[in-house]
Amino acid sequence: MLTIQKGVKTFNPNSVNEVQALRGIDLQVDKGDFITIIGSNGAGKSTFLNAIAGSFILTSGTITINTQDVTSWPEHKRAGNLGRVFQDPLLGTCTSLTIEQNLALALKRGQRRGLGFGVRTKDKVLFKEHLSTLGLGLENRLTDRVGLLSGGQRQALTMIMATMTRPDILLLDEHTAALDPKTGKKILDITETVVHRDELTTLMVTHNMNQAINMGNRLIMLHQGEIILDISGEDKKGLKVEDLLARFYSLRGESVATDRMLFS
Ligand SMILES: Nc1ncnc2c1ncn2[C@@H]1O[C@H](COP(=O)(O)OP(=O)(O)OP(=O)(O)O)[C@@H](O)[C@H]1O
């Protein structure tokens, strides 16, 4: 359902600042796959998600979503197919709008939007239904401005906004990294519930090796813009952090883990 072939992204080509962030990525993602993505700082993880989202066009290579070649599609044209949650809770929602206005915008993602922020009564019912699955009481605060919410509440709302329309692909870019451990755990629980309930095809970047091992059905490791490990099925089920470290070491002859990857 998502295929990246020979994906290359070079920033600032032919200059002293040239960076080869993606160096020939080949990945075939099946419908319903939940892939965790790890790799050290600068490995190309965010660039990879940005390439799928269409934040920029690949330098070379192709991206196909549901048999449609989207390689040259700009971000707004891909938006109808994608849901996305960023690390920063401030990025996913609009502070000055209310919870229901934010959700109404999310409902129209990928469609032409009018100028007003009118919320239909039947949509309110839908919003309450989705919000109540969070167990945070937000279903009773539809007309509160999002600026009043805590980081965790905002990230939970962003999860609902990103998934309410059942996108073809859900992109999670370290979406719990800015939260305290307890709130982060809550958001991860919500993630697992929503992804499994709606069978969403998901790519989740994390710095945390334990999360990468314990969540999803497939794990890939990026290193210097290349996929160097791709582990799924039974192989992934029995995986331990030590195994990952050993496999990386045997491939690259160096250590990959930072304290953050091991202990966060
Ligand atoms: N817009 C940009 N312009 C120039 N270089 C960029 C740009 N975006 C990313 N890069 C470079 O591309 C490389 C990959 O960056 P990327 O942010 O994808 O890594 P990452 O694996 O997400 O790292 P981290 O874990 O630190 O967030 C890095 O060398 C980075 O400096």
Side-chain angles (χ1 to χ4, degrees):
M1 76 105 53
L2 167 69
T3 308
I4 296 107
Q5 281 180 312
K6 298 189 172 67
V8 170
K9 179 62 192 175
T10 307
F11 291 108
N12 311 314
N14 306 316
S15 78
V16 284
N17 297 322
E18 178 173 306
V19 179
Q20 292 189 317
L22 301 178
R23 302 168 183 250
I25 299 278
D26 284 310
L27 188 70
Q28 165 82 47
V29 180
D30 292 330
K31 193 166 166 44
D33 264 351
F34 183 171
I35 302 181
T36 56
I37 303 173
I38 52 171
S40 47
N41 290 117
K45 303 179 296 296
S46 294
T47 304
F48 182 47
L49 293 199
N50 285 334
I52 295 167
S55 307
F56 50 72
I57 303 299
L58 285 175
T59 306
S60 62
T62 58
I63 301 179
T64 310
I65 299 176
N66 286 336
T67 71
Q68 180 116 39
D69 186 339
V70 302
T71 311
S72 60
W73 286 18
E75 196 161 26
H76 67 88
K77 202 170 167 192
R78 297 187 204 183
N81 299 94
L82 300 173
R84 192 162 190 195
V85 186
F86 295 91
Q87 179 173 341
D88 183 351
L90 299 179
L91 284 180
T93 47
C94 182
T95 321
S96 58
L97 299 182
T98 63
I99 291 178
E100 62 180 17
Q101 285 170 336
N102 271 277
L103 286 163
L105 283 177
L107 205 54
K108 291 185 190 160
R109 194 176 43 235
Q111 301 169 17
R112 287 179 74 86
R113 293 172 182 156
L115 286 176
F117 294 115
V119 182
R120 296 175 302 182
T121 311
K122 84 172 178 46
D123 291 339
K124 289 187 194 219
V125 176
L126 179 76
F127 299 162
K128 283 192 174 195
E129 204 176 287
H130 279 283
L131 290 170
S132 62
T133 64
L134 299 174
L136 298 172
L138 295 183
E139 63 277 16
N140 302 317
R141 300 179 61 184
L142 281 186
T143 53
D144 275 4
R145 292 201 185 283
V146 165
L148 297 173
L149 303 182
S150 68
Q153 289 169 331
R154 283 182 79 145
Q155 210 61 330
L157 174 62
T158 310
M159 272 301 297
I160 298 292
M161 290 171 64
T163 56
M164 195 169 46
T165 54
R166 295 198 181 190
D168 292 327
I169 301 161
L170 175 64
L171 302 174
L172 306 171
D173 194 351
E174 289 201 67
H175 68 311
T176 62
L179 306 173
D180 66 78
K182 191 167 162 237
T183 311
K185 167 84 173 55
K186 171 87 185 155
I187 298 296
L188 287 179
D189 289 346
I190 291 168
T191 304
E192 295 230 86
T193 304
V194 174
V195 166
H196 288 127
R197 185 193 64 205
D198 295 343
E199 298 176 343
L200 297 176
T201 306
T202 303
L203 281 81
M204 181 179 99
V205 168
T206 175
H207 261 105
N208 183 314
M209 285 201 176
N210 282 309
Q211 269 175 25
I213 287 171
N214 294 327
M215 295 179 73
N217 65 314
R218 187 171 170 193
L219 177 154
I220 63 175
M221 186 188 277
L222 279 174
H223 185 63
Q224 295 175 351
E226 291 177 68
I227 295 176
I228 59 161
L229 280 177
D230 185 347
I231 304 168
S232 57
E234 290 305 309
D235 212 9
K236 177 169 182 297
K237 280 185 193 152
L239 201 63
K240 297 200 169 44
V241 170
E242 307 84 83
D243 305 329
L244 263 186
L245 298 178
R247 285 171 84 156
F248 180 82
Y249 191 83
S250 74
L251 281 166
R252 296 288 149 151
E254 58 186 288
S255 171
V256 69
T258 60
D259 286 353
R260 190 174 160 221
M261 286 172 93
L262 288 173
F263 302 117
S264 60

